[in-house]
Coordinates of all heavy atoms in Angstrom, one line a residue:
M1 N -9.6 7.8 5.5 CA -8.9 8.1 4.2 C -9.4 9.4 3.7 O -10.6 9.6 3.6 CB -9.1 6.9 3.3 CG -8.6 7.1 2.0 SD -7.9 5.5 1.5 CE -6.8 6.1 0.3
S2 N -8.6 10.2 3.2 CA -9.0 11.5 2.7 C -9.5 11.6 1.3 O -10.1 12.5 0.9 CB -7.8 12.5 2.9 OG -6.7 12.1 2.1
T3 N -9.2 10.5 0.5 CA -9.6 10.5 -0.9 C -10.9 9.8 -1.0 O -11.3 8.9 -0.2 CB -8.6 9.9 -1.8 OG1 -8.3 8.6 -1.3 CG2 -7.3 10.7 -1.8
S4 N -11.6 10.0 -2.1 CA -13.0 9.4 -2.2 C -13.0 8.2 -3.1 O -13.9 7.4 -3.1 CB -14.0 10.4 -2.8 OG -13.5 10.8 -4.0
T5 N -11.9 7.9 -3.8 CA -11.9 6.8 -4.7 C -10.5 6.1 -4.7 O -9.5 6.7 -4.4 CB -12.2 7.2 -6.1 OG1 -11.3 8.1 -6.6 CG2 -13.6 7.7 -6.3
A6 N -10.6 4.8 -5.1 CA -9.3 4.1 -5.2 C -9.4 3.4 -6.6 O -10.5 2.8 -7.0 CB -9.2 3.0 -4.1
E7 N -8.3 3.4 -7.3 CA -8.4 2.8 -8.7 C -8.2 1.3 -8.6 O -7.2 0.8 -8.0 CB -7.2 3.4 -9.5 CG -7.2 2.9 -10.9 CD -6.2 3.6 -11.8 OE1 -5.6 4.6 -11.4 OE2 -5.8 3.0 -12.8
L8 N -9.1 0.6 -9.2 CA -9.1 -0.8 -9.2 C -9.6 -1.4 -10.5 O -10.4 -0.7 -11.2 CB -9.9 -1.4 -8.1 CG -9.5 -1.1 -6.6 CD1 -10.5 -1.6 -5.6 CD2 -8.1 -1.7 -6.3
D9 N -9.1 -2.6 -10.9 CA -9.6 -3.2 -12.1 C -9.5 -2.3 -13.3 O -10.5 -2.1 -14.0 CB -11.0 -3.7 -11.9 CG -11.2 -4.7 -10.7 OD1 -10.2 -5.4 -10.5 OD2 -12.2 -4.7 -10.1
G10 N -8.3 -1.8 -13.5 CA -8.2 -0.9 -14.7 C -8.8 0.4 -14.6 O -8.4 1.3 -13.8
D11 N -9.9 0.6 -15.3 CA -10.6 1.9 -15.4 C -11.6 2.1 -14.3 O -12.2 3.1 -14.1 CB -11.2 2.2 -16.7 CG -10.2 2.3 -17.8 OD1 -9.0 2.7 -17.5 OD2 -10.4 2.0 -19.0
H12 N -12.0 1.0 -13.6 CA -13.0 1.0 -12.6 C -12.5 1.7 -11.3 O -11.4 1.4 -10.8 CB -13.5 -0.4 -12.2 CG -14.6 -0.5 -11.3 ND1 -14.4 -0.8 -10.0 CD2 -15.9 -0.2 -11.4 CE1 -15.5 -0.8 -9.3 NE2 -16.4 -0.4 -10.2
L13 N -13.3 2.6 -10.8 CA -12.9 3.3 -9.6 C -13.8 2.9 -8.4 O -15.1 2.8 -8.7 CB -13.0 4.8 -9.7 CG -12.0 5.4 -10.7 CD1 -12.2 6.9 -10.9 CD2 -10.5 5.2 -10.3
L14 N -13.3 2.7 -7.3 CA -14.1 2.4 -6.1 C -14.4 3.6 -5.3 O -13.6 4.5 -5.1 CB -13.4 1.3 -5.2 CG -13.2 0.0 -5.8 CD1 -12.5 -0.9 -4.8 CD2 -14.5 -0.7 -6.2
S15 N -15.5 3.6 -4.6 CA -15.9 4.7 -3.7 C -15.0 4.5 -2.4 O -14.4 3.4 -2.2 CB -17.4 4.6 -3.4 OG -17.6 3.5 -2.6
E16 N -15.0 5.5 -1.6 CA -14.3 5.4 -0.3 C -14.8 4.2 0.5 O -14.0 3.5 1.1 CB -14.4 6.7 0.5 CG -13.6 6.6 1.7 CD -13.5 8.0 2.4 OE1 -13.9 9.0 1.9 OE2 -13.1 8.0 3.6
S17 N -16.1 4.0 0.5 CA -16.7 2.9 1.3 C -16.2 1.5 0.7 O -15.9 0.6 1.5 CB -18.2 3.0 1.4 OG -18.8 2.9 0.1
E18 N -16.2 1.4 -0.6 CA -15.7 0.2 -1.2 C -14.2 -0.1 -0.9 O -13.8 -1.2 -0.6 CB -15.9 0.2 -2.7 CG -17.4 0.1 -3.1 CD -17.6 0.4 -4.5 OE1 -17.0 1.3 -5.1 OE2 -18.4 -0.4 -5.1
Y19 N -13.4 1.0 -1.0 CA -12.0 0.9 -0.6 C -11.8 0.5 0.8 O -11.1 -0.4 1.1 CB -11.4 2.3 -0.9 CG -9.9 2.4 -0.5 CD1 -8.9 1.9 -1.3 CD2 -9.5 2.8 0.8 CE1 -7.6 2.0 -1.0 CE2 -8.2 2.9 1.2 CZ -7.2 2.4 0.3 OH -5.9 2.5 0.7
R20 N -12.6 1.1 1.7 CA -12.5 0.7 3.1 C -12.9 -0.7 3.4 O -12.4 -1.4 4.2 CB -13.3 1.7 4.0 CG -12.7 3.0 4.1 CD -13.6 3.9 5.0 NE -13.0 5.2 5.2 CZ -12.1 5.4 6.2 NH1 -11.8 4.5 7.1 NH2 -11.6 6.6 6.4
E21 N -13.9 -1.2 2.6 CA -14.4 -2.5 2.8 C -13.3 -3.5 2.4 O -13.1 -4.5 3.1 CB -15.6 -2.8 1.9 CG -16.3 -4.1 2.1 CD -16.7 -4.4 3.6 OE1 -17.1 -3.4 4.2 OE2 -16.6 -5.6 4.0
R22 N -12.6 -3.3 1.3 CA -11.5 -4.1 0.9 C -10.4 -4.1 1.9 O -9.8 -5.1 2.2 CB -10.9 -3.7 -0.5 CG -11.8 -4.1 -1.6 CD -11.1 -4.0 -2.9 NE -12.1 -4.4 -4.0 CZ -11.7 -5.1 -5.0 NH1 -10.5 -5.6 -5.1 NH2 -12.6 -5.4 -5.9
L23 N -10.1 -2.9 2.4 CA -9.0 -2.8 3.4 C -9.4 -3.5 4.7 O -8.6 -4.1 5.4 CB -8.8 -1.3 3.7 CG -7.5 -1.0 4.5 CD1 -6.3 -1.5 3.8 CD2 -7.4 0.5 4.7
R24 N -10.7 -3.4 5.1 CA -11.2 -4.1 6.3 C -11.0 -5.6 6.3 O -10.8 -6.1 7.4 CB -12.7 -3.8 6.4 CG -13.3 -4.2 7.7 CD -14.8 -3.8 7.9 NE -14.8 -2.4 8.1 CZ -15.5 -1.5 7.3 NH1 -16.2 -2.0 6.3 NH2 -15.5 -0.2 7.5
E25 N -11.0 -6.2 5.2 CA -10.8 -7.6 5.1 C -9.3 -8.1 5.2 O -9.0 -9.3 5.3 CB -11.3 -8.1 3.8 CG -12.8 -7.9 3.6 CD -13.4 -8.2 2.3 OE1 -12.6 -8.8 1.4 OE2 -14.5 -8.0 2.0
L26 N -8.4 -7.1 5.2 CA -7.0 -7.4 5.3 C -6.5 -7.5 6.7 O -7.1 -7.0 7.6 CB -6.2 -6.4 4.5 CG -6.5 -6.3 3.0 CD1 -5.7 -5.2 2.4 CD2 -6.2 -7.6 2.3
P27 N -5.3 -8.1 6.9 CA -4.8 -8.3 8.3 C -4.3 -6.9 8.8 O -4.1 -6.0 8.1 CB -3.6 -9.2 8.1 CG -3.3 -9.2 6.7 CD -4.5 -8.8 5.9
P28 N -4.2 -6.8 10.1 CA -3.8 -5.5 10.8 C -2.5 -5.0 10.2 O -2.3 -3.7 10.1 CB -3.6 -5.9 12.2 CG -4.5 -7.1 12.4 CD -4.5 -7.8 11.2
S29 N -1.5 -5.8 9.9 CA -0.2 -5.3 9.3 C -0.5 -4.6 8.0 O 0.2 -3.6 7.7 CB 0.8 -6.5 9.1 OG 0.3 -7.4 8.2
A30 N -1.4 -5.1 7.2 CA -1.6 -4.4 5.9 C -2.3 -3.1 6.1 O -2.1 -2.1 5.4 CB -2.5 -5.3 5.0
K31 N -3.2 -3.0 7.1 CA -3.9 -1.8 7.4 C -2.9 -0.7 7.9 O -3.0 0.4 7.6 CB -5.0 -2.0 8.5 CG -6.1 -2.9 8.0 CD -7.0 -3.2 9.1 CE -8.1 -4.2 8.7 NZ -8.9 -4.7 9.8
L32 N -1.9 -1.2 8.7 CA -0.9 -0.2 9.2 C 0.0 0.3 8.1 O 0.2 1.5 8.0 CB -0.1 -0.9 10.3 CG 1.1 -0.1 10.9 CD1 0.6 1.2 11.5 CD2 1.9 -0.9 11.9
V33 N 0.4 -0.6 7.2 CA 1.2 -0.2 6.1 C 0.4 0.8 5.2 O 1.0 1.8 4.7 CB 1.7 -1.4 5.3 CG1 2.3 -1.0 3.9 CG2 2.7 -2.2 6.1
A34 N -0.9 0.5 5.0 CA -1.7 1.4 4.2 C -1.8 2.8 4.8 O -1.7 3.8 4.2 CB -3.1 0.8 4.0
K35 N -1.9 2.8 6.2 CA -2.0 4.1 6.9 C -0.7 4.8 6.8 O -0.7 6.1 6.6 CB -2.3 3.8 8.4 CG -2.6 5.0 9.2 CD -3.9 5.6 8.7 CE -4.4 6.8 9.6 NZ -5.5 7.5 9.0
V36 N 0.4 4.2 6.9 CA 1.7 4.8 6.7 C 1.8 5.4 5.3 O 2.3 6.5 5.1 CB 2.9 3.9 7.0 CG1 4.2 4.4 6.6 CG2 2.9 3.5 8.5
L37 N 1.4 4.6 4.3 CA 1.5 5.1 2.9 C 0.5 6.2 2.7 O 0.8 7.1 1.9 CB 1.2 3.9 1.9 CG 2.3 2.9 1.7 CD1 1.8 1.8 0.9 CD2 3.5 3.6 1.1
E38 N -0.6 6.3 3.4 CA -1.5 7.3 3.3 C -0.9 8.7 3.7 O -1.2 9.7 3.1 CB -2.7 7.0 4.1 CG -3.9 8.0 4.0 CD -5.0 7.7 4.9 OE1 -5.4 6.5 4.9 OE2 -5.5 8.5 5.6
S39 N -0.1 8.6 4.7 CA 0.5 9.9 5.2 C 1.8 10.2 4.6 O 2.2 11.4 4.6 CB 0.6 9.8 6.7 OG 1.5 8.8 7.1
D40 N 2.5 9.3 4.0 CA 3.9 9.5 3.6 C 4.3 8.6 2.5 O 5.0 7.6 2.7 CB 4.9 9.4 4.7 CG 6.2 10.0 4.4 OD1 6.3 10.8 3.5 OD2 7.2 9.6 5.1
A41 N 3.9 8.8 1.2 CA 4.2 7.9 0.1 C 4.9 8.8 -1.0 O 4.7 10.0 -1.0 CB 3.0 7.3 -0.4
P42 N 5.7 8.2 -1.8 CA 6.0 6.8 -1.9 C 7.2 6.4 -0.9 O 8.0 7.2 -0.6 CB 6.5 6.6 -3.3 CG 7.0 7.9 -3.7 CD 6.2 8.9 -3.0
L43 N 7.2 5.2 -0.5 CA 8.2 4.7 0.4 C 8.7 3.3 -0.1 O 7.9 2.5 -0.6 CB 7.6 4.5 1.8 CG 7.2 5.8 2.6 CD1 6.5 5.5 3.9 CD2 8.5 6.7 2.8
S44 N 9.9 3.0 0.2 CA 10.5 1.7 -0.1 C 10.1 0.7 1.0 O 9.6 1.1 2.1 CB 12.0 1.8 -0.1 OG 12.6 2.0 1.1
Q45 N 10.3 -0.5 0.8 CA 10.0 -1.5 1.8 C 10.7 -1.3 3.1 O 10.2 -1.4 4.2 CB 10.3 -2.9 1.3 CG 9.9 -4.0 2.2 CD 10.2 -5.4 1.6 OE1 10.0 -5.6 0.4 NE2 10.6 -6.3 2.5
G46 N 12.0 -0.9 3.0 CA 12.8 -0.6 4.2 C 12.3 0.6 4.9 O 12.2 0.6 6.2
Q47 N 11.9 1.6 4.2 CA 11.3 2.8 4.8 C 10.0 2.5 5.5 O 9.7 3.0 6.6 CB 11.1 3.9 3.8 CG 12.4 4.5 3.3 CD 12.2 5.4 2.1 OE1 11.4 5.1 1.2 NE2 12.9 6.5 2.1
L48 N 9.2 1.6 4.9 CA 7.9 1.2 5.5 C 8.2 0.5 6.8 O 7.4 0.7 7.8 CB 7.1 0.4 4.5 CG 6.4 1.1 3.4 CD1 5.9 0.2 2.3 CD2 5.2 1.9 4.0
A49 N 9.1 -0.4 6.8 CA 9.5 -1.2 8.0 C 9.9 -0.2 9.1 O 9.5 -0.4 10.3 CB 10.6 -2.2 7.7
E50 N 10.7 0.8 8.8 CA 11.2 1.8 9.7 C 10.0 2.6 10.3 O 9.9 2.8 11.5 CB 12.2 2.6 9.1 CG 12.9 3.6 10.0 CD 14.0 4.4 9.3 OE1 14.9 3.7 8.7 OE2 14.0 5.6 9.5
E51 N 9.2 3.1 9.4 CA 8.1 3.9 9.8 C 7.0 3.2 10.6 O 6.4 3.7 11.5 CB 7.4 4.6 8.6 CG 8.3 5.6 7.9 CD 8.5 6.9 8.8 OE1 7.6 7.3 9.5 OE2 9.7 7.4 8.8
S52 N 6.7 2.0 10.2 CA 5.6 1.2 10.9 C 6.1 0.4 12.1 O 5.3 -0.1 12.8 CB 5.0 0.2 9.9 OG 6.0 -0.8 9.5
L53 N 7.4 0.3 12.2 CA 8.0 -0.5 13.3 C 7.7 -2.0 13.2 O 7.7 -2.7 14.2 CB 7.6 0.0 14.7 CG 8.0 1.5 15.0 CD1 7.4 1.9 16.4 CD2 9.4 1.7 14.9
L54 N 7.4 -2.4 12.0 CA 7.2 -3.8 11.7 C 8.4 -4.5 11.1 O 9.2 -3.8 10.5 CB 6.0 -4.0 10.7 CG 4.6 -3.5 11.1 CD1 3.7 -3.6 9.9 CD2 4.1 -4.4 12.2
P55 N 8.6 -5.8 11.3 CA 9.7 -6.5 10.7 C 9.6 -6.5 9.2 O 8.5 -6.4 8.6 CB 9.6 -7.9 11.2 CG 8.7 -7.8 12.4 CD 7.8 -6.7 12.2
D56 N 10.8 -6.6 8.5 CA 10.8 -6.6 7.0 C 9.9 -7.6 6.4 O 9.1 -7.4 5.5 CB 12.2 -6.8 6.5 CG 13.1 -5.6 6.7 OD1 12.6 -4.5 6.8 OD2 14.3 -5.8 6.7
R57 N 9.9 -8.8 7.0 CA 9.1 -9.9 6.5 C 7.6 -9.6 6.6 O 6.8 -9.9 5.7 CB 9.4 -11.2 7.3 CG 8.7 -12.4 6.8 CD 9.2 -13.6 7.5 NE 8.6 -14.8 7.0 CZ 8.8 -16.0 7.4 NH1 9.7 -16.2 8.4 NH2 8.1 -17.0 6.9
T58 N 7.2 -9.0 7.7 CA 5.8 -8.6 7.9 C 5.4 -7.5 6.9 O 4.3 -7.6 6.3 CB 5.5 -8.1 9.3 OG1 6.0 -9.2 10.2 CG2 4.1 -7.8 9.6
V59 N 6.2 -6.6 6.6 CA 6.0 -5.5 5.7 C 5.8 -6.1 4.3 O 4.9 -5.8 3.5 CB 7.0 -4.4 5.7 CG1 6.9 -3.5 4.5 CG2 7.0 -3.7 7.0
R60 N 6.7 -7.1 3.9 CA 6.6 -7.7 2.6 C 5.3 -8.5 2.5 O 4.6 -8.4 1.5 CB 7.8 -8.7 2.5 CG 7.9 -9.3 1.1 CD 9.3 -10.0 0.9 NE 9.7 -10.9 2.0 CZ 10.6 -10.7 2.8 NH1 11.4 -9.6 2.8 NH2 10.9 -11.6 3.8
Y61 N 4.9 -9.2 3.5 CA 3.6 -9.9 3.6 C 2.4 -8.9 3.4 O 1.5 -9.1 2.6 CB 3.4 -10.7 4.9 CG 2.1 -11.3 5.0 CD1 1.7 -12.4 4.3 CD2 1.1 -10.7 5.9 CE1 0.4 -13.0 4.5 CE2 -0.1 -11.2 6.1 CZ -0.5 -12.4 5.4 OH -1.7 -12.9 5.5
A62 N 2.5 -7.8 4.1 CA 1.4 -6.8 4.0 C 1.3 -6.2 2.7 O 0.2 -6.0 2.1 CB 1.7 -5.7 5.1
L63 N 2.5 -5.9 2.1 CA 2.5 -5.3 0.7 C 1.9 -6.3 -0.3 O 1.2 -5.9 -1.2 CB 3.9 -4.9 0.3 CG 4.4 -3.6 1.0 CD1 5.9 -3.5 0.7 CD2 3.7 -2.4 0.5
N64 N 2.2 -7.6 -0.1 CA 1.7 -8.6 -1.0 C 0.2 -8.6 -0.9 O -0.6 -8.8 -1.9 CB 2.3 -10.0 -0.8 CG 3.7 -10.1 -1.3 OD1 4.1 -9.4 -2.2 ND2 4.5 -11.0 -0.7
R65 N -0.3 -8.6 0.3 CA -1.8 -8.6 0.5 C -2.5 -7.3 -0.1 O -3.5 -7.4 -0.7 CB -2.1 -8.7 2.0 CG -1.7 -10.0 2.6 CD -2.4 -11.3 2.1 NE -3.8 -11.2 2.2 CZ -4.6 -11.6 3.2 NH1 -4.0 -12.2 4.2 NH2 -5.9 -11.5 3.1
L66 N -1.8 -6.2 0.1 CA -2.4 -4.9 -0.5 C -2.3 -5.0 -2.0 O -3.3 -4.5 -2.6 CB -1.6 -3.7 0.1 CG -1.8 -3.4 1.5 CD1 -0.7 -2.5 2.0 CD2 -3.2 -2.8 1.7
E67 N -1.3 -5.5 -2.6 CA -1.2 -5.6 -4.0 C -2.2 -6.6 -4.5 O -2.9 -6.3 -5.6 CB 0.2 -6.1 -4.5 CG 1.2 -5.0 -4.4 CD 2.6 -5.5 -4.7 OE1 3.0 -6.7 -4.6 OE2 3.4 -4.6 -5.2
D68 N -2.5 -7.7 -3.9 CA -3.5 -8.7 -4.3 C -4.9 -8.0 -4.3 O -5.7 -8.4 -5.1 CB -3.5 -9.9 -3.3 CG -2.3 -10.8 -3.5 OD1 -1.6 -10.6 -4.5 OD2 -2.1 -11.6 -2.6
A69 N -5.1 -7.1 -3.4 CA -6.4 -6.4 -3.3 C -6.4 -5.1 -4.2 O -7.4 -4.4 -4.2 CB -6.7 -6.0 -1.9
D70 N -5.3 -4.9 -5.0 CA -5.2 -3.8 -5.9 C -5.3 -2.4 -5.1 O -5.9 -1.5 -5.7 CB -6.2 -3.8 -7.0 CG -6.0 -5.0 -8.0 OD1 -4.8 -5.3 -8.2 OD2 -6.9 -5.5 -8.5
L71 N -4.8 -2.4 -3.9 CA -4.9 -1.2 -3.1 C -3.6 -0.4 -3.1 O -3.5 0.7 -2.7 CB -5.3 -1.5 -1.7 CG -6.7 -2.1 -1.5 CD1 -7.0 -2.4 -0.1 CD2 -7.8 -1.1 -2.1
V72 N -2.5 -1.1 -3.6 CA -1.2 -0.4 -3.6 C -0.5 -0.8 -4.9 O -0.7 -1.8 -5.5 CB -0.3 -0.9 -2.4 CG1 0.2 -2.3 -2.5 CG2 0.8 0.0 -2.1
G73 N 0.3 0.2 -5.3 CA 1.1 0.0 -6.6 C 2.6 0.2 -6.3 O 2.9 0.7 -5.2
S74 N 3.4 -0.1 -7.2 CA 4.8 0.1 -7.0 C 5.5 0.6 -8.3 O 4.9 0.5 -9.4 CB 5.5 -1.1 -6.6 OG 5.4 -2.1 -7.6
R75 N 6.6 1.3 -8.2 CA 7.4 1.7 -9.3 C 8.8 1.8 -8.8 O 9.1 1.7 -7.6 CB 6.9 3.1 -9.8 CG 7.1 4.2 -8.8 CD 6.9 5.6 -9.4 NE 6.9 6.6 -8.4 CZ 8.0 7.1 -7.8 NH1 9.2 6.7 -8.0 NH2 7.8 8.1 -6.9
Y76 N 9.8 1.9 -9.8 CA 11.2 2.0 -9.4 C 11.4 3.4 -8.8 O 10.8 4.4 -9.3 CB 12.1 1.7 -10.6 CG 12.1 0.3 -10.9 CD1 11.4 -0.2 -12.0 CD2 12.8 -0.7 -10.1 CE1 11.4 -1.6 -12.3 CE2 12.8 -2.0 -10.5 CZ 12.1 -2.4 -11.6 OH 12.1 -3.8 -11.9
S77 N 12.3 3.5 -7.9 CA 12.6 4.7 -7.2 C 13.4 5.6 -8.2 O 14.3 5.1 -8.9 CB 13.5 4.5 -6.0 OG 14.0 5.7 -5.4
F78 N 13.1 6.9 -8.2 CA 13.9 7.8 -9.0 C 15.3 8.1 -8.4 O 16.2 8.4 -9.1 CB 13.2 9.2 -9.1 CG 11.8 9.1 -9.8 CD1 10.7 9.6 -9.3 CD2 11.7 8.4 -11.1 CE1 9.5 9.5 -10.0 CE2 10.6 8.3 -11.7 CZ 9.4 8.9 -11.2
K79 N 15.4 7.9 -7.1 CA 16.7 8.1 -6.4 C 17.6 6.9 -6.5 O 18.8 7.1 -6.6 CB 16.5 8.4 -4.9 CG 15.7 9.7 -4.7 CD 15.5 9.9 -3.2 CE 14.8 11.2 -2.9 NZ 14.6 11.5 -1.5
D80 N 17.0 5.7 -6.5 CA 17.8 4.5 -6.6 C 17.0 3.5 -7.4 O 16.1 2.9 -6.9 CB 18.1 4.0 -5.2 CG 19.1 2.8 -5.3 OD1 19.3 2.2 -6.4 OD2 19.5 2.4 -4.2
A81 N 17.4 3.3 -8.7 CA 16.6 2.5 -9.6 C 16.6 1.0 -9.2 O 15.9 0.2 -9.8 CB 17.1 2.6 -11.0
R82 N 17.5 0.6 -8.2 CA 17.5 -0.8 -7.8 C 16.4 -1.1 -6.8 O 16.1 -2.2 -6.5 CB 18.8 -1.1 -7.1 CG 20.0 -0.9 -8.0 CD 21.3 -1.0 -7.2 NE 21.4 0.1 -6.3 CZ 22.3 0.3 -5.4 NH1 23.3 -0.6 -5.2 NH2 22.3 1.4 -4.6
K83 N 15.7 0.0 -6.3 CA 14.7 -0.2 -5.3 C 13.3 0.2 -5.9 O 13.2 1.0 -6.8 CB 14.9 0.7 -4.1 CG 16.2 0.4 -3.3 CD 16.3 1.3 -2.1 CE 17.6 1.0 -1.3 NZ 17.7 1.8 -0.2
Q84 N 12.3 -0.5 -5.3 CA 10.9 -0.1 -5.7 C 10.4 0.7 -4.5 O 10.7 0.5 -3.4 CB 10.1 -1.4 -5.9 CG 10.4 -2.1 -7.2 CD 9.3 -3.1 -7.5 OE1 8.8 -3.8 -6.6 NE2 9.0 -3.2 -8.8
V85 N 9.5 1.6 -4.9 CA 8.7 2.4 -3.9 C 7.3 2.1 -4.1 O 6.8 1.7 -5.2 CB 9.0 3.9 -4.0 CG1 10.4 4.2 -3.6 CG2 8.7 4.4 -5.3
Y86 N 6.5 2.2 -3.0 CA 5.1 1.8 -3.0 C 4.3 3.0 -2.7 O 4.7 3.9 -1.9 CB 4.9 0.7 -1.9 CG 5.7 -0.6 -2.3 CD1 7.0 -0.7 -1.8 CD2 5.2 -1.6 -3.1 CE1 7.8 -1.8 -2.1 CE2 5.9 -2.7 -3.4 CZ 7.2 -2.8 -2.9 OH 7.9 -3.9 -3.3
Y87 N 3.0 3.0 -3.2 CA 2.1 4.1 -3.0 C 0.7 3.5 -3.1 O 0.5 2.4 -3.6 CB 2.3 5.1 -4.1 CG 2.2 4.5 -5.5 CD1 1.0 4.4 -6.2 CD2 3.3 4.1 -6.1 CE1 0.9 3.9 -7.4 CE2 3.2 3.5 -7.4 CZ 2.0 3.4 -8.0 OH 1.9 2.9 -9.3
L88 N -0.3 4.2 -2.5 CA -1.7 3.7 -2.6 C -2.3 4.1 -3.9 O -2.0 5.1 -4.5 CB -2.5 4.4 -1.5 CG -2.2 4.0 0.0 CD1 -3.0 4.8 0.9 CD2 -2.5 2.5 0.2
N89 N -3.1 3.2 -4.4 CA -3.8 3.4 -5.7 C -5.1 4.2 -5.4 O -6.2 3.6 -5.3 CB -4.2 2.1 -6.3 CG -3.0 1.4 -7.0 OD1 -2.0 2.0 -7.4 ND2 -3.0 0.1 -7.1
T90 N -4.9 5.5 -5.2 CA -6.1 6.3 -4.9 C -6.2 7.5 -5.8 O -5.2 7.9 -6.4 CB -6.0 6.9 -3.4 OG1 -4.8 7.5 -3.2 CG2 -6.2 5.7 -2.4

């Protein structure tokens, strides 16, 4: 990961090693989704599925795990307000 911190718990920032430790505990699908987001964010769930070659259901599971670990955030897309896009909290 090219950044040195990840934003977690409000104002608390994690070091790169702490960020990697949280990511290490997640399943491989979540690690892959995080890697895709690292190189090309923000992306919608469908775009993540296309880029990662994972099924939609697996991407949804990975995003939920990343959100539970406060490693990913989401917002509504500027192009299509019906969709959410995801990005890493770094």
Side-chain angles (χ1 to χ4, degrees):
M1 174 141 203
S2 61
T3 59
S4 61
T5 58
E7 183 177 342
L8 296 172
D9 302 326
D11 294 332
H12 183 257
L13 295 177
L14 291 181
S15 68
E16 183 174 346
S17 62
E18 290 170 315
Y19 175 84
R20 287 181 175 273
E21 185 61 34
R22 286 195 182 221
L23 193 59
R24 186 174 291 122
E25 297 172 6
L26 296 177
S29 60
K31 293 173 187 171
L32 177 58
V33 168
K35 190 67 173 172
V36 170
L37 286 173
E38 183 180 313
S39 65
D40 193 20
L43 293 172
S44 69
Q45 183 178 323
Q47 290 169 317
L48 281 167
E50 187 175 311
E51 290 293 319
S52 66
L53 302 176
L54 294 171
D56 289 336
R57 184 175 181 179
T58 304
V59 170
R60 189 168 47 251
Y61 172 77
L63 286 169
N64 286 335
R65 296 296 305 267
L66 288 164
E67 285 177 332
D68 290 345
D70 292 326
L71 298 176
V72 74
S74 65
R75 64 169 171 77
Y76 288 104
S77 171
F78 296 131
K79 294 180 182 179
D80 185 350
R82 297 171 295 175
K83 294 183 181 181
Q84 285 194 323
V85 291
Y86 297 89
Y87 54 89
L88 290 177
N89 285 333
T90 56

